[in-house]
Amino acid sequence: MLVTVPVGCMVGPDPTPPDLVMPDSWHTELLGGLEPGRYEPEAWWRTFDDPMLDDLIALAESRNLDLRIASSRIRQARAEYGIAASDLFPTVDTNVDANFSDGSRTSGGDIKSPSRYYTGTLDLGWEIDLWGRVRRSMEGAESEGQVQIENRRDALVSIRAEVALSYLEARTYQLQGLTLEEDVRSRKETLEIIEAEAARGTKMELEVLQFRAAYESAAAQLAPLEQKVAAAVNRISVLIGEAAGPLREAFRASMDPVRPIPQSSNAIAVGIPADAIRHRPDVRAAERTVMVAAAAVGVAEASLYPAFRITGTGGFASSNLDDWFTRSALGGVLGFEFSWPIFTGGRLQDVVKVRNEQSQQALLAYEATVLQAVAEVETALIAFASTLEERRRLRDTVNSYDAAMVLARDRFEAGVDDLQALLEVEREGLAAEQQLALAEGQVAANVVGLYKALGGAWNIEEKAIRASKEDSPNTAQETQG
């Protein structure tokens, strides 16, 4: 027998994605490696050409606990959709009883003969979804599942970016530390020379004290940098789902020999605002949240209308199992229930109002998410361009100070200038080198921030899976079959 599910009209608004109104172009001028071409998501972290960064992001993708929680929520949402869909179908319960009595004696002294009685029943209940309450619930559950998928994608984008940012931060502090260590070694050598000359009487004790103070001041800056490296590496350990500590040893070993801060080698096509913003998982999640809220309005409105339910019970009853399935042992009843909440003190109407307001709130939240997304991209574009200019100027500054320090040492050793002039040039040169290291790290970090603002690359694995299926001849045969 072919069973069809009776349906009727569906009250409430249809869950549809809200309109996305975007400017035609970005307001920030595209400079230094930024292109106006169509944004195509890519594995942006590989553009840094750093195997260790690639490995850390791969570990985070497979072991990060927040991602595993997000995956669990997707499975939960799918199960909840199944719960909602089950209300579209009838429920059937069965019950089987067997009663036995022995030959007990009655109060009058007679002995009753043993008896047996068997019953088997089926109970049926089916609410016909005339007004779309169940189907709206299914739409809401389906949209909620899509929200959870987008939330996981958003978490994936954020976690990749956080791993990269923490990695670049650790590399920046490491480079600062190595630069400082080199300066400290140079100062120590100079201090030993000055102390030797003071012992011979060619240098004043004041100069020795001044230079020793400058040396100790520079050396004192090493410990805070080591602490900052450890903090950044420990954050990576949490992101890749392992205990803090062992990764720090790997970081120390990776800087032998010294390596510069990795920089992205690819130009970045930022596209037009509409395409870039629509690609962001947080915007997509907010869009589907609007659809969840719209479906909830339909569920609330359906409760205002009459409900029709088919009920029935039937089965077999007999004292002999051999006669259980005979016509005489068969019995049952079929019925229809009609219910209509005529008066509830306005409760159901207020529920509809609540759902409408929640739908409006979801729409406003979507608009706020879009505005925030545009602001983040614009900010990332400005930050990227400004740090490029800062780095260029700092490189020129460091080159000038390198030449100035050579000249200052020569003048000091020739007795033209006093020690204070040399110390001042060395102090300013060291500060410029430290600022350049920070700028190098910030340029790389701003590349990561821009990719994150553009939506990251949450779909590259999905594209690869689809491509592999399309290239597989077995998949093609199964599709044709």
Side-chain angles (χ1 to χ4, degrees):
M1 180 178 64
L2 178 64
V3 178
T4 59
V5 179
V7 295
C9 63
M10 294 176 66
V11 298
D14 290 328
T16 55
D19 294 332
L20 182 64
V21 180
M22 287 281 99
D24 295 331
S25 62
W26 304 108
H27 291 279
T28 304
E29 184 180 0
L30 303 183
L31 302 172
L34 302 180
E35 298 177 349
R38 179 179 176 84
Y39 173 66
E40 293 291 344
E42 59 176 336
W44 51 263
W45 54 95
R46 297 192 184 116
T47 67
F48 288 90
D49 194 24
D50 191 307
M52 189 173 188
L53 176 60
D54 295 345
D55 292 342
L56 290 173
I57 288 182
L59 286 173
E61 290 172 347
S62 61
R63 293 161 51 179
N64 181 266
L65 297 179
D66 289 334
L67 282 180
R68 292 166 67 180
I69 292 172
S71 297
S72 175
R73 286 174 178 159
I74 293 174
R75 295 190 295 271
Q76 174 185 332
R78 288 171 178 165
E80 289 174 346
Y81 174 82
I83 294 172
S86 66
D87 290 337
L88 202 59
F89 300 94
T91 59
V92 180
D93 298 321
T94 184
N95 183 51
V96 177
D97 288 330
N99 297 310
F100 303 92
S101 65
D102 57 6
S104 58
R105 186 180 298 275
T106 65
S107 58
D110 298 329
I111 298 177
K112 296 174 59 177
S113 59
S115 64
R116 300 176 181 178
Y117 199 72
Y118 308 95
T119 60
T121 59
L122 288 176
D123 296 319
L124 168 70
W126 191 2
E127 181 177 342
I128 303 173
D129 191 31
L130 288 178
W131 316 111
R133 180 188 65 82
V134 176
R135 282 167 289 157
R136 291 298 190 203
S137 296
M138 292 170 62
E139 289 175 348
E142 182 180 12
S143 296
E144 179 60 33
Q146 294 171 348
V147 169
Q148 297 305 325
I149 290 173
E150 298 301 339
N151 285 343
R152 187 192 182 279
R153 290 169 174 170
D154 190 42
L156 177 62
V157 170
S158 297
I159 287 165
R160 284 172 174 163
E162 288 304 316
V163 170
L165 290 173
S166 296
Y167 179 82
L168 293 170
E169 182 180 337
R171 286 286 184 232
T172 299
Y173 289 136
Q174 277 186 323
L175 184 60
Q176 281 188 297
L178 293 172
T179 302
L180 185 59
E181 285 177 358
E182 184 178 349
D183 180 79
V184 168
R185 281 194 297 269
S186 176
R187 287 173 184 265
K188 186 176 182 181
E189 292 172 359
T190 304
L191 176 62
E192 291 172 350
I193 294 173
I194 294 176
E195 287 177 337
E197 293 180 352
R200 292 194 297 268
T202 57
K203 293 291 182 183
M204 296 177 59
E205 183 65 22
L206 177 61
E207 292 179 329
V208 176
L209 293 175
Q210 286 177 325
F211 207 89
R212 182 179 293 118
Y215 161 74
E216 294 293 348
S217 176
Q221 299 176 44
L222 288 172
L225 287 175
E226 292 177 359
Q227 185 272 329
K228 291 178 180 179
V229 172
V233 175
N234 288 343
R235 287 199 301 272
I236 298 175
S237 296
V238 174
L239 291 168
I240 64 175
E242 70 175 31
L247 189 59
R248 293 205 299 272
E249 299 299 325
F251 258 78
R252 292 192 188 97
S254 68
M255 291 300 283
D256 186 16
V258 178
R259 293 190 299 171
I261 299 171
Q263 298 291 334
S264 177
S265 57
N266 287 18
I268 305 174
V270 298
I272 61 174
D275 290 341
I277 298 304
R278 189 177 289 111
H279 178 74
R280 286 177 53 124
D282 59 337
V283 173
R284 295 160 64 92
E287 178 182 82
R288 279 137 179 93
T289 300
V290 173
M291 299 170 66
V292 172
V297 173
V299 173
E301 289 187 2
S303 65
L304 299 173
Y305 295 89
F308 295 90
R309 181 177 179 82
I310 301 174
T311 61
T313 184
F316 298 88
S318 175
S319 60
N320 191 337
L321 281 177
D322 294 336
D323 299 332
W324 207 32
F325 294 101
T326 61
R327 189 178 185 88
S328 60
L330 175 64
V333 61
L334 183 66
F336 299 91
E337 293 182 2
F338 170 85
S339 62
W340 193 350
I342 297 175
F343 179 75
T344 60
R347 181 178 61 84
L348 296 181
Q349 289 80 359
D350 286 337
V351 170
V352 173
K353 293 178 182 177
V354 168
R355 299 293 179 258
N356 276 311
E357 291 301 325
Q358 290 174 338
S359 179
Q360 184 65 21
Q361 293 164 20
L363 183 59
L364 294 173
Y366 167 76
E367 294 176 359
T369 302
V370 170
L371 291 176
Q372 181 64 30
V374 174
E376 288 178 4
V377 176
E378 292 281 2
T379 301
L381 292 172
I382 295 172
F384 180 75
S386 63
T387 50
L388 284 179
E389 176 64 15
E390 179 187 10
R391 182 179 66 178
R392 183 187 67 79
R393 291 185 178 276
L394 283 172
R395 284 175 174 175
D396 293 341
T397 301
V398 169
N399 290 335
S400 298
Y401 272 117
D402 286 343
M405 277 191 282
V406 172
L407 181 60
R409 283 180 180 275
D410 291 342
R411 291 174 64 85
F412 172 71
E413 292 173 358
V416 177
D417 292 334
D418 60 7
L419 180 62
Q420 191 62 38
L422 174 61
L423 291 177
E424 183 67 17
V425 173
E426 287 186 340
R427 182 185 64 79
E428 293 178 353
L430 175 61
E433 288 181 345
Q434 297 291 294
Q435 289 178 343
L436 177 59
L438 284 175
E440 294 282 2
Q442 195 58 52
V443 168
N446 285 340
V447 171
V448 176
L450 180 55
Y451 275 116
K452 180 184 177 184
L454 292 171
W458 55 263
N459 56 342
I460 58 173
E461 290 85 356
E462 297 174 12
K463 286 184 175 180
I465 293 172
R466 286 197 298 268
S468 64
K469 289 182 178 180
E470 291 173 358
D471 294 339
S472 173
N474 294 331
T475 303
Q477 292 174 4
E478 290 172 2
T479 304
Q480 294 172 2

